[in-house]
Amino acid sequence: MSGNVTDWAADKLTTKENIKSVNRTPENFLVVRSKDGYTFLVAVLGVQNVIELPDVEPLFAGATKPQFVMNVPSKTLWSGAAIRFIHAASAAFGTLGDISRAAATKDAGSYRDKNMGFFINAMKQHSNVSRVSYVYETAFNIDRKIGKSLIVAVINAYNMGAEDVRNAKDRFGHFDVVVKSSNYGSITPQAEAAANSMGAQALTFSELMGRLAK
């Protein structure tokens, strides 16, 4: 774990009104305290490409374990293996902004991104879905009871355009479906064409639910 990114996170937390970094453990975890006195430990990583299982395992090897793991820079992808390990350790992951939201739960290790949680739960509850697993933090492998498995990438776009689809391809690699996270806005014909050229589909959430059945 790189000390300079931990220093950066500690400095950033001093600007927050509702939480502060008040100390550090010998492991260099930040001791974060909310206004109402709730305290938890935050581990800070400095991985540039993809956060893999070997990056997070050492954080939980000792007697003192973090309840939250963040990475600098925030745009770095979290692999499914790393996410599953963190969740199995009763911890959470996310960005600097997520630390405040985790503190608000009074159980930081249970924090989960609300928007992705909605998608995950909806897909899990679909009658033709047997399993949902993380590929990355916003890309999922969907095993279906009837039909082949699908990789679904969820992106934050109001009006999904071709550039959004191409950026998703660059970020996640192969996917079968790209879905916009907002129920508002639209999917442009150019986005649909870009997805089709990749052998994929650009869909809204409701369209995704129909696709999972076929």
Side-chain angles (χ1 to χ4, degrees):
M1 182 164 50
S2 178
N4 63 334
V5 294
T6 305
D7 293 343
W8 180 89
D11 289 343
K12 286 294 183 181
L13 286 169
T14 64
T15 67
K16 301 282 186 181
E17 290 187 4
N18 57 334
I19 54 171
K20 302 292 180 187
S21 174
V22 296
N23 205 343
R24 295 196 195 190
T25 70
E27 298 82 5
N28 208 28
F29 299 153
L30 297 178
V31 181
V32 175
R33 181 174 297 155
S34 62
K35 260 186 173 181
D36 58 9
Y38 172 63
T39 302
F40 60 103
L41 301 182
V42 175
V44 186
L45 293 170
V47 179
Q48 295 295 316
N49 296 317
V50 178
I51 301 158
E52 303 284 4
L53 182 60
D55 297 312
V56 300
E57 283 180 317
L59 303 176
F60 298 88
T64 302
K65 297 173 173 57
Q67 286 79 52
F68 191 95
V69 184
M70 66 167 284
N71 188 76
V72 180
S74 60
K75 65 180 181 180
T76 301
L77 284 172
W78 295 79
S79 72
I83 293 169
R84 287 188 289 275
F85 183 87
I86 290 170
H87 286 173
S90 300
F93 75 97
T95 64
L96 185 73
D98 288 321
I99 294 177
S100 295
R101 290 181 277 273
T105 69
K106 303 296 184 292
D107 180 14
S110 70
Y111 170 77
R112 303 292 184 265
D113 180 88
K114 184 181 292 186
N115 196 26
M116 286 306 103
F118 167 80
F119 275 90
I120 292 168
N121 289 335
M123 291 186 292
K124 281 183 174 178
Q125 292 167 9
H126 193 285
S127 60
N128 195 38
V129 171
S130 58
R131 184 171 179 265
V132 177
S133 58
Y134 283 97
V135 178
Y136 299 111
E137 66 267 33
T138 59
F140 307 92
N141 187 76
I142 315 300
D143 292 327
R144 296 186 296 165
K145 298 172 185 176
I146 300 173
K148 71 180 184 70
S149 297
L150 299 173
I151 295 177
V152 176
V154 182
I155 64 170
N156 182 20
Y158 183 81
N159 292 314
M160 186 194 295
E163 192 66 18
D164 296 310
V165 176
R166 287 191 287 267
N167 288 341
K169 177 72 171 179
D170 290 341
R171 183 164 174 78
F172 301 119
H174 168 74
F175 52 76
D176 300 294
V177 178
V178 59
V179 181
K180 63 191 211 68
S181 60
S182 173
N183 284 325
Y184 302 100
S186 63
I187 298 174
T188 66
Q190 292 82 1
E192 294 175 345
N196 289 340
S197 73
M198 302 169 187
Q201 293 176 288
L203 303 176
T204 64
F205 170 73
S206 60
E207 289 170 340
L208 170 65
M209 292 295 101
R211 176 68 181 89
L212 293 178
K214 299 176 182 177

